[in-house]
């Protein structure tokens, strides 16, 4: 008896001509046309190199920063911090199981030892945790784009059902969400939508999302202390902390670190901290071929089919499709691009 | 500026006499009376000792097995496997980021090398992934207990709202679930409930839940290959694989292991596998004081208050309570018991 596979991919599924298995989500992604992939600008990447591991293997973590209009105050600070090489020599200081990994200045709470921040960082208002009709002109413009997707109840319902699905079978997908009335993927990101007329939008704390550590409110954090999610989506943090991006490569270098044994998972001694060698914007990294990533456009038919298949698994391993999916169980596919474009 | 705390606990919140902060979920749990805690029988524990880590520290993982009527066919097999000391000398073979850690016979797929299973293991039917009116007498009896909780729509709604909350404030808790019509905590476990009249019940793949690896259906696995969840709840596995328990202590020894680089996160070489020294039932473990754990009764007022507070965070760090919670974001509190009872 072989018992190994609790498989996402059906690696060795028996296939006969008359009984072709339904494609898996990965197979749908692999078959997506090039036009359905959207390039990520190198300037929207944040590249963190940790010290090599105990076997001297490199540990690079690549983060994609969020596009406007989201969190641009903090992201502007992050760009300044990277340009000032501020994180070089700082460390990963906190690893709390099923919650977050946090990095920055390990002495931030000690006024005598804390590392000075670069000048001209913005203090961002709490109102920027969400965006909606009361925000700036740019936000309003972007909101109009989103409203075109999500404005009418029918359109919202269609988006909430994650598209009509790839075939003649009607969608059986539920997307109910205990944290908000509705959610959707928008421009590559998981988003929650509030109730009309206070229908603000805000990003969702899914696995691998990156946020800004902060002190007690009304502080909102500068962006110097960052964290990423390494457990079940801590959605109670939505609208309470700024999200600024997500780890798109190398999260295993953070998620597999030893858990801290102090309160909140902080390392109890400086020796346990993991050194950060450097953090740079992607356009400052020299590599051959150049660092280049792309994501599966969340507005594409391929994404709709992928999302529907995530919610209704029909590949041979499964005996009972769920009929729905948590938005955080539909991670946006990201891959290295060939560099040919 | 201190930016460390993206805090579950408000460690250093300013408190004045006239402005007492709302209790955090942990504070509610800490204040729960002894009577709200339920002892876990030592015979329902499965204790797995991994080889010590590179710094020679012990690595013990403690699993609580599910109570009847759930998954007892597989759990019976697991008891036989533990009594036969079958897992001793096997290993952790798979670590897939944001998904599962799996252990058992690393050579299970190689007929020439696979370790023989003990005799008299049961082959369990797929119908045992759920339970409901068509099952055995014992199941029917248990179902009646659950129906008393969840039978009437009003009672269901009350349970779904996770109780009336601890104070005069009306509950604002949503518990919508994209995977099922409703869910609840029952006898210490997260459970989904299907639609009437096919209102089966089944356990939920939350973080740290333990399940039975299997081959392609109709195989359901023997229990010799086990896995635990180390990422966002993979609810698409609900009703497709047997759940048998959860890790209640030491999950960090599994979740922080290096990720496997082979397909599905399997380790590519035998050298990478992590040795299992022994797996025993809790009543076979000699320890002073004896191994003893208890969980916060999910039918207690303390649990209702804790769950409500998880869904509506009012401790000082939070500026905007979510108003709802995913059932997997309301983990059942488990602690070592004093042994005095």
């Amino acid at each position: 008896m072989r018992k190994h596979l609790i498989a996402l991919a059906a690696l060795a599924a028996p296939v006969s001509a008359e009984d072709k298995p339904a494609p898996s989500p990965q197979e749908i992604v692999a078959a997506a046309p090039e036009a359905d992939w959207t390039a990520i600008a190198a300037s929207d990447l944040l590249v963190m190199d940790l010290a090599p591991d105990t076997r001297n293997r490199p540990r690079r973590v690549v983060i994609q920063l969020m596009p406007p209009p989201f969190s641009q105050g903090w992201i502007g600070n992050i760009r300044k911090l990277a340009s000032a090489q501020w994180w070089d020599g700082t460390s990963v200081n906190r690893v709390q199981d099923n919650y977050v990994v946090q990095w920055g200045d390990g002495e931030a709470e000690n006024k005598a030892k804390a590392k000075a921040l670069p000048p001209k960082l913005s203090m961002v208002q709490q109102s920027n945790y969400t965006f909606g009709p009361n925000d700036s002109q740019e936000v309003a413009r972007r909101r109009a784009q989103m409203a075109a997707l999500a404005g009418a109840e029918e359109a919202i319902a269609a988006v909430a059902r994650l598209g009509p699905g790839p075939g003649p079978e009607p969608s059986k997908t539920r997307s109910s969400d205990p944290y908000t009335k509705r959610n959707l993927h928008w421009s590559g990101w998981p988003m929650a939508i509030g109730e009309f007329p206070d229908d603000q939008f805000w990003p969702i704390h899914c696995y691998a999302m990156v946020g800004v550590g902060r002190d007690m409110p009304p502080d909102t954090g500068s962006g110097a202390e960052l964290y990423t999610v390494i457990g079940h989506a801590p959605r109670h943090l939505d609208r309470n902390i700024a999200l600024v991006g997500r780890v798109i490569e190398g999260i295993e270098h953070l998620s597999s670190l030893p858990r801290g044994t102090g309160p909140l998972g902080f390392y109890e001694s400086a020796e346990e901290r993991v050194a950060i060698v450097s953090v740079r914007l992607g356009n400052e990294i020299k590599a051959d071929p150049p660092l280049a990533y792309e994501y599966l456009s969340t507005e594409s038919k391929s994404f709709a089919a992928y999302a529907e298949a995530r919610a209704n698994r029909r590949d041979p391993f499964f005996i009972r499709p769920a009929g729905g999916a948590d938005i955080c169980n539909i991670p946006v596919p990201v891959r290295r691009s060939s560099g040919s474009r």
Side-chain angles (χ1 to χ4, degrees), chain A:
Chain A
M1 271 186 301
R2 291 165 297 125
K3 297 283 182 310
H4 262 84
L5 301 178
I6 60 160
L8 270 176
L11 283 187
V15 178
S16 65
E18 69 273 22
D19 182 28
K20 199 180 168 195
S24 69
Q26 287 102 315
E27 288 164 341
I28 292 168
V29 172
E34 284 297 318
D36 285 355
W37 292 88
T38 302
I40 300 171
S43 56
D44 286 340
L45 299 176
L46 194 66
V47 181
M48 174 164 70
D49 285 327
L50 304 177
D53 71 10
T54 51
R55 294 170 62 187
N56 209 33
R57 291 172 299 197
R59 291 189 282 190
R60 172 166 283 184
V61 178
V62 181
I63 293 162
Q64 177 189 5
L65 298 170
M66 294 195 78
F70 296 102
S71 302
Q72 295 300 298
W74 295 280
I75 290 171
N77 287 350
I78 288 168
R79 294 182 188 283
K80 285 177 191 157
L81 287 155
S83 295
Q85 308 189 352
W86 186 83
W87 281 291
D88 299 15
T90 64
S91 52
V92 178
N93 305 310
R94 175 189 184 193
V95 184
Q96 184 171 357
D97 198 66
N98 191 19
Y99 203 42
V100 297
V101 172
Q102 187 171 336
W103 61 92
D105 178 11
E107 305 295 338
E109 300 209 54
N110 180 336
K111 279 187 185 172
K113 290 185 171 182
K115 187 168 183 173
L117 290 169
K120 299 188 182 170
L121 297 188
S122 300
M123 285 302 295
V124 191
Q125 299 300 306
Q126 291 178 343
S127 56
N128 291 288
Y129 291 149
T130 65
F131 91 110
N134 299 320
D135 297 347
S136 72
Q137 214 169 15
E138 165 65 11
V139 162
R141 192 179 68 75
R142 288 283 176 162
R143 188 170 173 278
Q145 290 181 355
M146 193 182 277
L149 267 179
E153 273 307 308
E154 276 194 23
I156 290 170
V159 171
R161 280 199 308 273
L162 304 166
E169 192 170 8
S171 173
K172 298 171 197 157
T173 303
R174 286 185 301 270
S175 67
S176 359
D177 185 325
Y179 295 93
T180 185
K181 189 173 175 192
R182 8 178 226 275
N183 61 51
L184 55 77
H185 284 94
W186 178 79
S187 286
W189 297 86
M191 289 285 161
I193 311 175
E195 309 260 352
F196 185 85
D198 182 30
D199 53 347
Q200 301 277 308
F201 298 80
W202 60 91
I204 291 177
H205 270 85
C206 293
Y207 191 91
M209 290 289 282
V210 173
V212 173
R214 65 162 169 84
D215 211 331
M216 285 292 162
D219 182 67
T220 64
S222 66
E225 303 292 322
L226 296 174
Y227 65 90
T228 190
V229 173
I230 60 158
H232 192 79
R235 297 280 304 274
H236 53 290
L237 300 177
D238 292 356
R239 294 189 286 178
N240 283 287
I241 308 191
L243 285 171
V244 292
R246 70 177 152 222
V247 177
I248 59 171
E249 193 174 282
I251 193 165
E252 67 274 15
H253 302 309
L254 300 171
S255 58
S256 68
L257 290 175
R259 277 46 183 158
T261 50
L264 306 178
F266 278 96
Y267 289 131
E268 293 187 270
S269 66
E271 292 67 38
E272 293 172 279
R273 295 176 189 157
V274 179
I276 294 172
V277 176
S278 68
V279 175
R280 297 286 181 276
L281 289 169
N283 54 326
E284 297 173 321
I285 298 278
K286 284 179 183 141
D288 184 24
L291 274 189
Y293 297 85
E294 54 194 6
Y295 68 90
L296 186 62
S297 167
T298 49
E299 285 70 42
S300 69
K301 284 187 180 171
S302 299
F303 187 85
Y306 157 78
E308 201 274 346
R310 290 283 298 176
N312 299 284
R313 298 295 294 269
R314 297 178 206 92
D315 30 328
F317 185 79
F318 290 86
I319 61 171
R320 188 143 189 174
D326 184 311
I327 191 166
C328 292
N329 258 336
I330 306 173
V332 176
V334 177
R335 67 181 187 188
R336 287 190 180 219
S337 50
S338 62
S340 61
R341 54 182 65 213

